[in-house]
Amino acid sequence: MDESGTGTDERTILTALLEGRRDALAMVCAGLSEDEMAARAAAPSALTLSGLVGHMAEVERAWFRRVFAGEDVPLRWSRFPGDDFGFTGTADAAYDAWYEECARSRAIVAAAPGLDATGEHPRRGAVSLRWILCHMIEEYARHHGHAEVLRAAIDGTAVPLDR
């Protein structure tokens, strides 16, 4: 796909944009120690980079597996939306969950018959794969900003959103 997406189908563009957002989160966290990944943003917030990675694993699981694919899988650790920002596991556990859920999400998207295929959200009703992909791009972009602030507070590194 070229930079503008010209001549590329919508599904390829959306999945490439989502992969770019996933890569951006990984870039912000690259090279940090376990303690740095667990560093809190600012009291009283429990937000950490490990928590953000874990949250994104949970978001991937919820939207692609539970909503779109209709899988009856429990959430990994959330009790309510946002609760996983207080994730207290290791960075390795967060990364493992995230990598696993991203791989599963990719497989679900690849197997879907098209962007108009729908899943059922408990409050929103039917949502298309197109809407889910757009929502996930938005979700990653929003949390990338949080991750950048955390990273800058840890070691002063500024990682741009666009590569």
Side-chain angles (χ1 to χ4, degrees):
M1 177 173 84
D2 70 12
E3 198 63 25
S4 69
T6 303
T8 306
D9 68 279
E10 183 181 12
R11 184 183 195 140
T12 301
I13 292 169
L14 290 174
T15 56
L17 288 170
L18 179 54
E19 283 302 322
R21 297 308 94 215
R22 289 171 176 149
D23 291 348
L25 179 59
M27 286 175 14
V28 170
C29 298
L32 294 177
S33 70
E34 183 71 41
D35 287 343
E36 290 168 325
M37 288 291 291
R40 289 181 167 209
S45 174
L47 184 63
T48 66
L49 285 170
S50 291
L52 277 174
V53 171
H55 172 70
M56 292 314 300
E58 197 76 287
V59 171
E60 293 266 356
R61 183 179 188 95
W63 282 105
F64 290 107
R65 294 181 70 182
R66 291 168 55 108
V67 173
F68 185 72
E71 293 181 20
D72 186 19
V73 292
L75 293 173
R76 288 178 179 268
W77 48 77
S78 290
R79 290 187 307 268
F80 51 88
D83 184 48
D84 46 2
F85 284 126
F87 171 76
T88 57
T90 66
D92 284 344
Y95 278 125
D96 288 348
W98 185 49
Y99 294 143
E100 179 184 328
E101 295 302 337
C102 287
R104 186 76 176 106
S105 296
R106 286 182 196 100
I108 289 168
V109 171
L115 294 176
D116 292 327
T118 62
E120 190 68 24
H121 187 275
R123 290 184 312 277
R124 296 178 189 269
V127 290
S128 70
L129 178 57
R130 176 182 292 103
W131 187 92
I132 292 170
L133 288 167
C134 289
H135 175 71
M136 290 299 295
I137 293 163
E138 174 191 44
E139 183 88 10
Y140 272 99
R142 175 177 39 258
H143 292 314
H144 186 270
H146 301 136
E148 280 188 333
V149 169
L150 282 163
R151 179 65 189 250
I154 291 166
D155 67 2
T157 298
V159 181
L161 178 60
D162 292 321
R163 328 176 235 136

